[in-house]
Amino acid sequence: MAEYTAVNLVAGVVGMGFLATGYVLVRREREALGLFALSVAVGAGLLFVAVTPDSFDYIATFLGLEFKTHAILVVANLVLFALVTYLLYRIGRLYDRLSRLNEEVGLLKAEFEDGEE
């Protein structure tokens, strides 16, 4: 039988937090489908780990690792890599939008000043 600890409780609460964030994004009808999918995937993964703490034994065996702690580190690194990659992509898109907005404001300001003269 699986042994549950406080870590499982914290993982479950954090997983529910990610799922709630995804739900709020959908309710607010934002167009961030990538963010919704990412929050649901992370939340569901955390809930799965919270409910089945022995799952990392199977993951370690599948990956050919000797200890379950190594499997936890590998999976955590992969998840963090995916999150950082997604956030860097979003930052790049926001930077491009900000640059375009600055150009448009500059053009509108120049047009407005020309109209006053």
Side-chain angles (χ1 to χ4, degrees):
M1 178 150 173
E3 184 178 322
Y4 294 97
T5 63
V7 173
N8 296 93
L9 178 65
V10 171
V13 170
V14 172
M16 291 299 288
F18 273 101
L19 291 177
T21 301
Y23 176 75
V24 168
L25 286 174
V26 169
R27 292 288 293 170
R28 291 185 182 173
E29 298 177 5
R30 295 207 176 163
E31 297 181 16
L33 292 178
L35 187 57
F36 166 72
L38 197 59
S39 67
V40 168
V42 170
L46 281 170
L47 283 177
F48 176 75
V49 169
V51 172
T52 59
D54 293 335
S55 60
F56 277 107
D57 287 329
Y58 301 113
I59 294 171
T61 303
F62 177 74
L63 294 176
L65 301 171
E66 188 175 345
F67 300 109
K68 115 175 159 175
T69 54
H70 292 165
I72 292 170
L73 287 174
V74 167
V75 171
N77 282 334
L78 292 175
V79 169
L80 288 175
F81 177 75
L83 287 172
V84 167
T85 302
Y86 174 75
L87 290 174
L88 288 175
Y89 168 74
R90 294 282 295 183
I91 288 171
R93 287 189 55 202
L94 289 173
Y95 180 77
D96 291 342
R97 286 179 64 190
L98 181 64
S99 295
R100 276 188 268 128
L101 283 173
N102 281 335
E103 289 174 9
E104 290 176 8
V105 167
L107 290 173
L108 287 172
K109 186 176 178 183
E111 185 178 314
F112 179 73
E113 289 173 354
D114 287 343
E116 285 185 345
E117 294 176 1

